[in-house]
Amino acid sequence: GATLVMKCADEFGDMGLVGFVHARVDGEMAQIEDFVLSCRVMGRGFEQNLKAAMNADLKARGVKELKAEYLPSGKNEAAKNLYALEERL
């Protein structure tokens, strides 16, 4: 699998660990299993940066197809469109 964590800081101080993403990798295909982001940084571009870093990591591993499943929970509406159901890397 592939796992990335995101830490960040700004002019006001260190926010610490704010994001985590994990994908199961099977040859040229990967499946996002977890994508977690602190509400402190949502909507500030951090989710796009974490997604881009994971996509680059997977592409470097030879992954060509990425899948993700959105399971609505009432608390994760902001993540609904982060990953299309399938992406080409």
Side-chain angles (χ1 to χ4, degrees):
T3 301
L4 295 178
V5 295
M6 175 182 268
K7 294 181 179 182
C8 67
D10 63 12
E11 64 271 18
F12 301 109
D14 186 355
M15 290 183 240
L17 181 63
V18 296
F20 166 86
V21 61
H22 173 76
R24 180 174 34 88
V25 179
D26 185 13
E28 294 183 345
M29 197 282 291
Q31 171 81 34
I32 297 294
E33 297 288 327
D34 297 292
F35 195 104
V36 180
L37 194 67
S38 169
C39 62
R40 295 173 292 157
V41 297
M42 287 180 67
R44 296 173 57 190
F46 291 94
E47 56 271 37
Q48 299 303 329
N49 291 336
L50 186 55
K51 174 185 173 182
M54 177 56 89
N55 287 1
D57 181 77
L58 292 171
K59 191 172 184 178
R61 294 170 185 251
V63 172
K64 295 182 178 173
E65 184 177 359
L66 177 61
K67 296 182 179 185
E69 182 178 8
Y70 171 70
L71 302 172
S73 72
K75 293 184 178 184
N76 64 357
E77 181 72 22
K80 184 175 184 178
N81 297 316
L82 183 62
Y83 273 98
L85 293 180
E86 292 188 23
E87 290 190 13
R88 300 305 260 173
L89 297 181

